[in-house]
Amino acid sequence: MTSTSSSSSGSCRFADYFVLAGIDTDSGLEPDELSALCQWLEAERYGRSQDTPCPNKASGENFDQSPLRRTFKSKVLAHYPQNVEWNPFDQDAVNMLCMPKGLSFRTQAESREPQFHSFLITREDGSRTYGFVLTFYEEVTCKQICSAMQTLYQMHNVEQYSSVYASSSCSMDSLASSIDEGDSTSLAKLQRYNSYDISRDTLYVSKCICLITPLPFMQACRKFLLQLHKAVSSQQPPPLPLESYIHNVLYEVPLPPPGRSLKFSGVYGPVICQRPGPSELPLFDFPLREAFELLGLENLVQLFTCVLLEMQILLYSQDYQRLMTVAEGITTLLFPFQWQHVYVPILPASLLHFLDAPVPYLMGLQSKEPNDRSKLELPQEANLCFVDIDNHFIELPEDFPQFPNKLEFIQEISEVLLQFGIPPEGNLHCSESATQLKNLALDDLVNDKKNGNLTGNTINMYELLKGNETLARLQALAKRTGVTVEKMEIAAPPTAGKEKDTKCRCSEEELRDYKLAVQLREVFANRFTQMFADYEAFVIQPAQDMESWLTNREQMQNFDKASFLSDQPEPNLPFLSHFIETQMFATFIDNKIVSLWEEKDPLLRVFDSRIEKMKIYSVRIPTLRTSNYQKSTVLKEAAQAIEQRLVKIDHSAIHPHLLDMKIGQGKYEQGFFPKLQSDVLATGPTNNNRWANRGATAQRRKDRLRQHSEHLGLDNDLKEKYIQEARSLGKSLRQPKLSDLSPAVIAQTNWKFVEGLLKECRIKTKRMLVEKMGHEAVELGHGEANITGLEENTLIASLCDLLERIWSHGLQVKQGKSALWSHLLHYQESEEKREATVETPVAAWPERRRSETGLNLPTLRVSLIHDMRHVQHMSEIKTDVGRARAWIRLSLEKKVLSQQLKQLMFNHGLIKKLYKRYAFLRCEEEKEQFLYHLLSLNAVDYFCFTSVFTTIMIPYRAVVIPIKKLSNSITTSNPWIGVSGELGDTGVMQIPKNVLEMTFECQNLGKLTTVQIGHDNSGLLAKWLVDCVMVRNEITGHTYRFPCGRWLGKGVDDGSLERILVGELIIPVVEEDLSKQCRTPPQLRSPTIARRLSTTSLGGKTAKPNAGQIQEGIGESINNIVKHFHKPEKERGSLTILLCGENGLVSALEQVFHHGFKSARLFQKNVFIWDFIERAVAYFETGEEDEESQVNLLQLKDCSRTFCPYVNAINAAPRSIGKDGKLQLLVCLGARDHLLPRWIPLLAECPVISRMYEDGALLRDRAMVNSLIRVLQTLHEFNITLEASLVKGIDL
């Protein structure tokens, strides 16, 4: 579905060429070497060893197949005119697509019905030209060819005879179908079923006539060719010589103007074609009904989704026209988007190697027999959607997102189909002729006792088709989702009235097809109009001129993806986040931007005008961007527009007339297509007829436009080049070269693929970095740096897809659906063999990490094989594609993806064994660049494994590190720890005494947030000074440090026996230049020892912050909490960090309480903030009755009713968390229950404050207290939930 303007740029004629192809009697029977070569390649692929001689490879003959089944070379016998400048004739391509299988022979015993099919050729610039072909059989009159066939048969029979009697296991594919297994040795039968006898049989050979047109007027061309063929096969000669009709269609029939219909003359009757107007959907003339019948609605919507997500699509059918109908049907439904990659609806047999293409493609492949899917070897299936059209069956790629509102969407399409009497689940045994495709239930209804008078009634269609299982499913879904199934008008399929002539009935059926197709297309188009109603608001308009924009296109972000997604309904996000990364969406946005400088792309113009219209209508009821499903409202008008054009014809072309032909030519012989007189067909009429002027005005307009754009100073060729480069990636290869098939061309094609893959890798890694870095930069205000989970998942999924395509390029033999995992398994096998013989040393780099950080965590062995084993043990993953994706995610999270792929890619022996010479993995320089791009991903932190596989069991290792200088690192008490993360916690676990290290396995905890550590205070040496706790995830290698720097023990520090520590992720030191240059800040910052110690028994030697810094700290900590709640829920990260971590709320309020606090040691005993709080509570509860405070006390007592129970509950808790721990807990509970703004003034007014605080203290400054209250009140709108580890044992 290319823009109509580009495909008909130079042409205003209905048809560009008339072509005749068939057997060249001069060169005789030439085996079709290309397809023979393919058969040999296929045989080789199916495991025939390299040295087995291929049957007569040079001559391309294949004695296993009976001669009538072999392929012979066809040739373009004639084409008129010789050439037209706007569409140069490509003889090889046309020959290959007119007869994709070459010539075929039949005898009088076999069916020789004419077959119609269409094809298209995509030019370099993406514009298309269409071909419509009628293949029929003609008797062979050339004696040499008949005797050649006889000779081939004699050779074949001798071959078969010897092989049957040698009872060798020769393949007898052509016979198997026609002979019973039991009788296969009976030679007489063998020869009878499979013979050609020159004396007894008549030999026929295929020939085809073809029209090549700039626009796809499929129905009109088909009618014209069928009438032409009828003229040749009927007993009466046609009214005029055939040249008159062909000359007429080539030179005297114009293209209908947009929005108009045109009638021209075939041999026996008028042919009508129509073209949509400028505001309608683009021209589409294939029977969309057939596509729905062939696949069924559910399958078609799934295929449609795969095409939108630019997967590899392979259509498979015995019938070329079916391939074309489904391919064109599915691409027309993409409006306003266009398929941007390889598009070959009919892949000639000789181009089978093209299935190796490591890019998105949409190709059609002809199947040889009804059920030969099992024999089809496809190089890459990880991202393949395989559509077996004849068997109504579709094989989908793993886990791709569903189309938004899929249920309601299917429901809406069903209603349209049912109105035309088509069952939504398709028609499994559909025949070509539309007459046999009537819905049986409807037939009964219409032909019942009421003589078909039911048509106008409203019936409940769902009652009518109760037995239908798809509808039953739909109804159940509808009930569940609360969608109402409306009653609908049903029109019975038109039955031919006796008085109507057949011509009219045929056109009535055609009219129904047109109306159905346009209504279905409107339903699909309406989905995009609704989904992208506001897309323009997110287009980033360029600030420069067109030339500089095109030159820098690749560096530019031209669509604000993040804002667009944040504006969409939640259920649509999985699909949309994938879709806006596709090439078709990028090109759509490019076209939008280019329309600033030049004429709008026709598809874009129609789409924009629809959005405008919709916005005007919905001003009164603003329903945009809700997830409410809105049906299309223009179905009736769309159908009426077409009906009006077809019922009332706007233009008629000149009638065919006698030409100035030589006498005696134009002879007519029944059953043979005549040799046409080329001189009369070579050129058109000299007089300028009425529609040439129209072309001239269009040309003048074009010239004006060209001068205008030259005036703008941008040479058109240059612009085209820029646009091509700007939209590259797969664009350079819209269609393989159909002519030359030399090894050089194949190599060049593959070279383009390699370049494309490398470029794609560069763009993808850059995009992943920019996204991640961008988000981190925004978020550096606090430690939580994270790109939206959804977007990250989309980008990683597309990286997995790219790696699968790279690994499947140039594979020798395919094993399993995932090429990457299959390679990993080969590598694992070879390494395990090697390991068995040699004990491999441990990987080196983590050793250094140990010495650098001085930590006592044993080294984690980094090895590709270990990572594979982890993935193999994950019972949640059932398929190879899933395992490959999990392994990529794990390597990415561990920052070893580049390093591990390097091991794979530079195992040269294995690569040579698995890949062909041209494969990406055998291009040394490109491999280096590829690894360099992947290495750049080490600059950012991904949690793409931990966050996706949330239910797996993960081994962890924990080590407690005491401060040796200051304490007995040996303790007699029994220590314990509990680890918590974003996804859960472990509960309390005892640590072996004196080892202080343990490993434990539990369900994935996610990112770790806190560790509780404590002991039971038993024995003589119960006091314990802990430096920190280290915990490591043994699969991903993520190591968290939980700083403590405090004593645990009664009678020392604040008397705490347990503490809650907040963690930070340690960045491993990897000696790679790149990670040195761009290091991301650590993800989770925690309380540093310095701050903790400054307020404790180790003496406050650190400089105390002044009042201004303290106020700033409060503001920042509150700000971070507010930012946290403004993020989407899935991306918030840990709130504990923001409350208890470094620069968290607790530490900021501690600074307020410490300012001006008299913490002098009375008899060597420390005084803590908690002591002040306890005294305040005692004051409120007992109330010392001195005169001045009497009035004050009554007011305060009222407020203290919320305060005292909290303090008492914390003191009464069965935990020994120490005085600083209790203060932390009080602040957290106050924040959760929104009580802090009431407690602060309570403490500030309490008379105890004068005894424990100096005059200049912040708490005694009324203005400061008021501003603190205001700031804390901003937290009231948020629902703060505390981690279980913080509030354990508190009874409120």
Side-chain angles (χ1 to χ4, degrees):
M1 180 187 74
T2 188
S3 56
T4 45
S5 61
S6 63
S7 58
S8 59
S9 47
S11 174
C12 46
R13 306 199 312 215
F14 178 83
D16 289 340
Y17 295 100
F18 177 80
V19 183
L20 192 62
I23 189 165
D24 181 8
T25 45
D26 300 339
S27 56
L29 281 188
E30 279 186 84
D32 187 344
E33 280 145 31
L34 284 180
S35 44
L37 173 74
C38 281
Q39 283 167 354
W40 178 70
L41 286 172
E42 249 175 53
E44 193 189 43
R45 217 185 213 170
Y46 296 143
R48 180 191 288 167
S49 67
Q50 298 282 350
D51 43 41
T52 317
C54 105
N56 204 346
K57 186 167 59 171
S59 68
E61 298 208 15
N62 175 356
F63 291 116
D64 286 351
Q65 268 196 326
S66 75
L68 284 179
R69 296 284 165 274
R70 291 181 204 166
T71 49
F72 297 95
K73 253 188 200 161
S74 63
K75 192 172 173 187
V76 171
L77 303 174
H79 66 278
Y80 309 102
Q82 276 308 299
N83 212 15
V84 296
E85 55 179 303
W86 56 85
N87 182 7
F89 189 75
D90 182 342
Q91 184 141 341
D92 292 320
V94 170
N95 182 31
M96 209 179 253
L97 290 166
C98 277
M99 297 191 144
K101 285 184 298 198
L103 295 172
S104 60
F105 286 90
R106 300 273 160 100
T107 63
Q108 78 287 346
E110 296 167 286
S111 136
R112 302 187 303 285
E113 279 299 300
Q115 293 287 318
F116 174 81
H117 79 270
S118 32
F119 64 81
L120 62 80
I121 296 174
T122 311
R123 298 195 199 88
E124 292 268 311
D125 64 353
S127 61
R128 293 175 182 174
T129 182
Y130 292 83
F132 300 97
V133 187
L134 188 73
T135 308
F136 54 94
Y137 286 86
E138 222 175 54
E139 190 181 325
V140 179
T141 50
C142 172
K143 288 282 172 283
Q144 287 90 333
I145 288 177
C146 294
S147 49
M149 184 58 81
Q150 173 92 7
T151 313
L152 283 175
Y153 256 103
Q154 286 161 350
M155 287 162 68
H156 173 71
N157 285 340
V158 168
E159 189 82 17
Q160 291 297 77
Y161 179 87
S162 57
S163 65
V164 166
Y165 278 96
S167 73
S168 71
S169 56
C170 75
S171 110
M172 298 166 66
D173 49 358
S174 53
L175 304 170
S177 52
S178 51
I179 300 179
D180 291 60
E181 288 298 326
D183 296 333
S184 57
T185 47
S186 147
L187 196 63
K189 270 195 178 178
L190 219 162
Q191 284 171 338
R192 192 170 74 237
Y193 276 111
N194 178 26
S195 67
Y196 165 67
D197 183 337
I198 198 162
S199 58
R200 188 186 66 212
D201 295 321
T202 315
L203 189 63
Y204 293 87
V205 67
S206 58
K207 185 177 241 180
C208 71
I209 46 179
C210 162
L211 278 177
I212 291 180
T213 64
L215 290 180
F217 291 112
M218 195 274 293
Q219 306 286 6
C221 292
R222 182 173 174 202
K223 264 190 197 155
F224 180 81
L225 293 173
L226 281 167
Q227 292 190 22
L228 215 51
H229 173 257
K230 189 178 166 192
V232 173
S233 52
S234 76
Q235 291 173 355
Q236 298 302 314
L240 292 169
L242 293 187
E243 281 88 343
S244 295
Y245 301 103
I246 294 167
H247 181 276
N248 178 254
V249 82
L250 283 178
Y251 301 111
E252 295 170 333
V253 178
L255 281 175
R260 297 300 172 87
S261 50
L262 170 82
K263 183 169 81 177
F264 64 94
S265 306
V267 184
Y268 295 113
V271 177
I272 294 166
C273 60
Q274 58 88 33
R275 194 169 162 189
S279 62
E280 295 174 58
L281 293 175
L283 172 66
F284 177 73
D285 202 34
F286 290 83
L288 197 52
R289 164 187 56 77
E290 207 173 299
F292 278 84
E293 284 175 334
L294 288 166
L295 292 179
L297 175 50
E298 173 83 25
N299 282 345
L300 194 124
V301 170
Q302 294 287 52
L303 169 60
F304 174 66
T305 312
C306 291
V307 173
L308 283 169
L309 298 176
E310 296 188 336
M311 298 175 170
Q312 293 182 319
I313 315 287
L314 184 61
L315 308 175
Y316 197 59
S317 168
Q318 283 185 287
D319 183 327
Y320 294 124
Q321 187 57 14
R322 284 183 175 184
L323 293 173
M324 193 72 186
T325 300
V326 173
E328 283 289 279
I330 208 77
T331 49
T332 194
L333 294 175
L334 297 175
F335 169 88
F337 307 102
Q338 288 170 281
W339 179 255
Q340 297 297 324
H341 300 276
V342 175
Y343 182 64
V344 191
I346 295 174
L347 188 69
S350 50
L351 289 182
L352 265 179
H353 69 276
F354 218 75
L355 292 173
D356 207 3
V359 290
Y361 57 66
L362 203 167
M363 299 204 236
L365 187 61
Q366 198 222 14
S367 55
K368 307 280 188 302
E369 310 137 29
N371 297 314
D372 66 353
R373 159 73 176 112
S374 50
K375 293 186 198 158
L376 187 65
E377 275 288 316
L378 299 169
Q380 106 108 331
E381 289 184 60
N383 225 30
L384 180 77
C385 173
F386 178 84
V387 185
D388 185 344
I389 297 174
D390 302 338
N391 294 317
H392 201 75
F393 164 72
I394 176 168
E395 241 174 73
L396 294 163
E398 280 176 38
D399 59 47
F400 65 97
Q402 293 297 322
F403 191 71
N405 300 95
K406 186 177 153 195
L407 288 180
E408 296 97 324
F409 184 43
I410 285 183
Q411 161 86 36
E412 185 181 4
I413 303 167
S414 304
E415 288 172 13
V416 175
L417 289 171
L418 288 166
Q419 276 175 323
F420 286 84
I422 289 164
E425 76 277 24
N427 213 335
L428 205 50
H429 310 290
C430 49
S431 67
E432 293 309 309
S433 68
T435 46
Q436 295 166 358
L437 286 169
K438 283 182 189 162
N439 184 328
L440 298 175
L442 273 176
D443 249 8
D444 297 345
L445 222 176
V446 175
N447 306 332
D448 71 354
K449 307 287 180 292
K450 301 185 184 76
N451 301 325
N453 293 336
L454 260 178
T455 44
N457 295 2
T458 302
I459 6 177
N460 187 336
M461 194 62 212
Y462 287 84
E463 289 302 307
L464 170 73
L465 292 174
K466 259 192 178 145
N468 176 321
E469 63 180 285
T470 303
L471 285 177
R473 274 214 315 278
L474 260 175
Q475 238 184 331
L477 287 173
K479 256 190 203 144
R480 271 212 307 280
T481 50
V483 178
T484 57
V485 176
E486 297 160 14
K487 291 187 184 313
M488 56 180 80
E489 292 283 323
I490 285 286
T495 46
K498 286 193 182 91
E499 72 287 350
K500 286 188 186 173
D501 66 346
T502 50
K503 269 187 247 171
C504 182
R505 185 185 76 178
C506 171
S507 71
E508 200 166 309
E509 195 136 290
E510 248 170 63
L511 178 62
R512 286 184 67 243
D513 271 1
Y514 275 124
K515 284 160 77 172
L516 170 64
V518 78
Q519 293 197 7
L520 289 169
R521 291 171 69 203
E522 285 291 354
V523 173
F524 279 79
N526 177 53
R527 288 292 4 90
F528 291 121
T529 318
Q530 302 283 352
M531 247 185 273
F532 293 97
D534 281 348
Y535 85 95
E536 220 168 319
F538 303 97
V539 175
I540 300 167
Q541 300 294 355
Q544 66 274 65
D545 63 349
M546 183 168 180
E547 187 168 358
S548 40
W549 179 78
L550 284 170
T551 325
N552 302 311
R553 167 66 197 89
E554 210 177 277
Q555 280 72 46
M556 315 279 293
Q557 268 293 57
N558 59 2
F559 188 73
D560 184 352
K561 294 175 178 170
S563 308
F564 172 75
L565 289 175
S566 65
D567 213 29
Q568 302 306 311
E570 181 85 18
N572 299 4
L573 292 179
F575 171 81
L576 285 174
S577 63
H578 273 77
F579 179 66
I580 60 177
E581 296 294 335
T582 57
Q583 188 67 34
M584 72 174 83
F585 186 74
T587 305
F588 172 75
I589 298 295
D590 282 356
N591 286 343
K592 178 70 184 171
I593 290 176
V594 171
S595 71
L596 288 172
W597 297 292
E598 35 172 69
E599 215 181 329
K600 251 190 197 177
D601 171 81
L603 295 186
L604 184 66
R605 193 179 58 236
V606 177
F607 187 64
D608 281 353
S609 70
R610 287 171 168 238
I611 288 179
E612 283 307 304
K613 213 190 229 164
M614 185 177 81
K615 285 187 175 167
I616 293 166
Y617 284 142
S618 58
V619 167
R620 297 182 297 285
I621 3 165
T623 44
L624 296 184
R625 276 201 321 284
T626 65
S627 44
N628 289 348
Y629 187 88
Q630 287 166 292
K631 288 186 176 180
S632 172
T633 52
V634 294
L635 299 187
K636 280 208 169 73
E637 297 95 284
Q640 277 162 1
I642 283 197
E643 187 163 12
Q644 276 164 355
R645 281 199 292 273
L646 288 174
V647 171
K648 182 181 158 296
I649 304 298
D650 299 303
H651 302 281
S652 290
I654 297 175
H655 278 283
H657 46 88
L658 274 171
L659 301 170
D660 183 12
M661 289 168 66
K662 294 194 186 76
I663 293 174
Q665 295 257 319
K667 265 195 219 145
Y668 167 80
E669 191 182 341
Q670 186 189 349
F672 291 93
F673 201 87
K675 188 171 169 52
L676 298 171
Q677 208 173 25
S678 51
D679 49 350
V680 292
L681 291 177
T683 53
T686 43
N687 63 322
N688 268 350
N689 56 28
R690 57 189 160 163
W691 46 275
N693 301 337
R694 201 174 74 220
T697 46
Q699 193 54 45
R700 279 202 294 279
R701 196 178 319 117
K702 277 212 179 86
D703 290 344
R704 271 207 309 282
L705 258 171
R706 194 182 70 243
Q707 285 159 5
H708 172 61
S709 71
E710 280 167 7
H711 177 63
L712 283 176
L714 180 59
D715 169 23
N716 258 338
D717 298 340
L718 187 67
K719 190 194 84 184
E720 190 50 45
K721 175 173 163 272
Y722 280 145
I723 289 186
Q724 281 312 314
E725 283 175 5
R727 301 175 189 161
S728 62
L729 275 198
K731 259 300 196 35
S732 47
L733 274 164
R734 285 286 187 63
Q735 177 165 321
K737 265 198 126 45
L738 295 176
S739 41
D740 183 9
L741 239 135
S742 62
V745 170
I746 293 181
Q748 188 192 0
T749 303
N750 279 297
W751 179 241
K752 279 188 176 172
F753 284 147
V754 168
E755 283 183 322
L757 288 170
L758 190 59
K759 183 169 186 181
E760 197 177 339
C761 178
R762 185 180 78 233
I763 290 170
K764 283 204 165 135
T765 48
K766 183 172 170 184
R767 170 110 169 74
M768 287 169 79
L769 276 175
V770 168
E771 275 296 339
K772 195 78 166 161
M773 296 277 204
H775 278 269
E776 292 192 357
V778 170
E779 315 238 347
L780 284 184
H782 58 86
E784 255 323 87
N786 200 354
I787 109 172
T788 72
L790 184 82
E791 243 176 313
E792 176 172 309
N793 258 338
T794 305
L795 293 174
I796 288 168
S798 89
L799 177 72
C800 294
D801 161 45
L802 173 67
L803 294 180
E804 280 292 2
R805 282 189 280 124
I806 285 175
W807 255 258
S808 66
H809 183 232
L811 258 181
Q812 297 271 22
V813 179
K814 186 183 142 279
Q815 297 170 341
K817 281 203 170 184
S818 164
L820 175 57
W821 188 250
S822 151
H823 190 172
L824 282 164
L825 290 173
H826 280 292
Y827 179 80
Q828 185 180 28
E829 194 184 323
S830 68
E831 283 300 293
E832 281 168 353
K833 276 185 196 150
R834 206 166 60 83
E835 265 180 24
T837 52
V838 183
E839 198 46 56
T840 50
V842 172
W845 66 263
E847 288 292 359
R848 285 203 292 275
R849 181 168 87 191
R850 177 176 172 177
S851 56
E852 277 154 5
T853 46
L855 300 173
N856 315 15
L857 263 175
T859 307
L860 181 65
R861 181 172 176 184
V862 175
S863 110
L864 194 160
I865 303 294
H866 271 148
D867 287 352
M868 281 187 69
R869 284 180 192 146
H870 283 310
V871 171
Q872 283 161 328
H873 290 148
M874 288 165 62
S875 56
E876 292 80 357
I877 306 176
K878 305 281 188 263
T879 64
D880 286 353
V881 175
R883 288 184 193 101
R885 287 177 183 171
W887 179 83
I888 293 168
R889 283 175 175 275
L890 178 57
S891 305
L892 200 53
E893 184 162 325
K894 291 176 79 166
K895 303 192 178 187
V896 293
L897 183 61
S898 173
Q899 179 192 337
Q900 298 199 339
L901 288 179
K902 189 173 186 173
Q903 286 177 15
L904 269 191
M905 292 167 102
F906 287 89
N907 182 329
H908 292 294
L910 190 57
I911 292 272
K912 274 189 177 156
K913 186 176 123 193
L914 297 176
Y915 288 91
K916 296 173 186 151
R917 181 65 207 92
Y918 61 73
F920 183 94
L921 296 183
R922 289 185 67 178
C923 302
E924 296 306 313
E925 202 175 306
E926 281 66 31
K927 284 198 315 200
E928 291 286 358
Q929 290 182 46
F930 164 75
L931 289 170
Y932 180 78
H933 292 315
L934 287 183
L935 183 62
S936 65
L937 295 176
N938 289 4
V940 289
D941 299 321
Y942 282 103
F943 284 85
C944 49
F945 181 84
T946 312
S947 60
V948 168
F949 301 103
T950 51
T951 56
I952 60 172
M953 297 301 285
I954 288 188
Y956 292 91
R957 180 181 294 268
V959 179
V960 180
I961 297 163
I963 296 180
K964 294 200 171 68
K965 297 173 193 161
L966 292 163
S967 82
N968 300 317
S969 55
I970 298 167
T971 173
T972 54
S973 55
N974 300 302
W976 56 266
I977 65 166
V979 182
S980 303
E982 289 179 1
L983 301 174
D985 66 71
T986 59
V988 166
M989 302 178 293
Q990 295 295 328
I991 305 185
K993 219 190 304 191
N994 304 338
V995 181
L996 301 186
E997 180 182 324
M998 67 184 295
T999 51
F1000 57 93
E1001 194 174 75
C1002 66
Q1003 192 170 315
N1004 186 354
L1005 297 172
K1007 290 183 199 167
L1008 302 188
T1009 50
T1010 59
V1011 157
Q1012 294 160 260
I1013 180 168
H1015 62 79
D1016 61 0
N1017 204 38
S1018 60
L1020 294 169
L1021 301 170
K1023 300 185 182 72
W1024 194 24
L1025 181 57
V1026 175
D1027 175 37
C1028 65
V1029 178
M1030 308 283 290
V1031 182
R1032 181 173 68 204
N1033 177 325
E1034 295 289 275
I1035 291 185
T1036 64
H1038 282 315
T1039 307
Y1040 294 83
R1041 185 167 181 275
F1042 297 86
C1044 176
R1046 308 279 301 259
W1047 286 93
L1048 286 160
K1050 282 272 188 272
V1052 63
D1053 200 337
D1054 64 350
S1056 177
L1057 289 184
E1058 63 175 274
R1059 293 192 187 281
I1060 295 169
L1061 312 177
V1062 178
E1064 65 180 339
L1065 180 68
I1066 295 179
I1067 300 288
V1069 181
V1070 186
E1071 304 282 299
E1072 298 272 18
D1073 318 19
L1074 226 138
S1075 50
K1076 265 188 185 163
Q1077 292 162 17
C1078 32
R1079 175 69 42 74
T1080 335
Q1083 280 243 325
L1084 319 171
R1085 271 288 153 81
S1086 54
T1088 54
I1089 301 173
R1091 176 179 69 72
R1092 289 296 198 198
L1093 292 184
S1094 70
T1095 63
T1096 64
S1097 56
L1098 294 176
K1101 295 185 184 108
T1102 349
K1104 295 213 168 117
N1106 60 33
Q1109 290 168 326
I1110 291 174
Q1111 280 174 282
E1112 213 173 284
I1114 286 277
E1116 193 182 326
S1117 64
I1118 299 279
N1119 228 345
N1120 288 340
I1121 294 173
V1122 172
K1123 275 203 262 181
H1124 169 90
F1125 282 104
H1126 278 291
K1127 284 195 222 166
E1129 202 167 323
K1130 289 178 186 155
E1131 294 148 31
R1132 286 182 183 167
S1134 166
L1135 185 59
T1136 310
I1137 312 287
L1138 303 182
L1139 291 171
C1140 310
E1142 182 180 20
N1143 305 333
L1145 183 63
V1146 173
S1147 97
L1149 282 173
E1150 271 183 12
Q1151 300 285 11
V1152 173
F1153 281 115
H1154 274 290
H1155 190 264
F1157 185 59
K1158 300 176 181 172
S1159 59
R1161 303 179 176 198
L1162 308 170
F1163 310 109
Q1164 293 302 304
K1165 194 163 182 237
N1166 244 350
V1167 184
F1168 291 86
I1169 306 286
W1170 191 252
D1171 296 324
F1172 162 60
I1173 283 171
E1174 283 182 328
R1175 281 180 206 174
V1177 169
Y1179 168 77
F1180 296 137
E1181 285 178 338
T1182 57
E1184 298 160 12
E1185 308 279 340
D1186 50 359
E1187 296 301 313
E1188 59 202 273
S1189 63
Q1190 193 70 50
V1191 186
N1192 207 352
L1193 178 63
L1194 290 170
Q1195 292 170 345
L1196 293 178
K1197 272 216 161 153
D1198 207 36
C1199 302
S1200 67
R1201 290 203 182 114
T1202 58
F1203 179 62
C1204 301
Y1206 278 79
V1207 178
N1208 294 332
I1210 290 170
N1211 276 329
R1215 299 170 68 175
S1216 348
I1217 48 177
K1219 291 178 176 176
D1220 282 348
K1222 288 175 179 176
L1223 178 64
Q1224 172 172 299
L1225 189 47
L1226 183 68
V1227 172
C1228 289
L1229 289 169
R1232 180 190 74 183
D1233 299 338
H1234 305 139
L1235 294 170
L1236 290 177
R1238 289 162 70 180
W1239 292 352
I1240 299 285
L1242 188 69
L1243 292 170
E1245 298 290 328
C1246 172
V1248 179
I1249 198 164
S1250 55
R1251 282 179 248 155
M1252 301 191 71
Y1253 279 87
E1254 291 153 11
D1255 290 349
L1258 285 174
L1259 274 181
R1260 297 183 70 175
D1261 173 347
R1262 183 148 286 177
M1264 160 62 199
V1265 170
N1266 287 338
S1267 87
L1268 179 58
I1269 291 166
R1270 278 198 304 280
V1271 171
L1272 287 167
Q1273 278 169 340
T1274 56
L1275 296 182
H1276 279 191
E1277 58 183 291
F1278 305 118
N1279 184 14
I1280 291 175
T1281 318
L1282 297 179
E1283 215 174 280
S1285 61
L1286 290 176
V1287 294
K1288 206 162 58 181
I1290 303 297
D1291 185 23
L1292 274 169

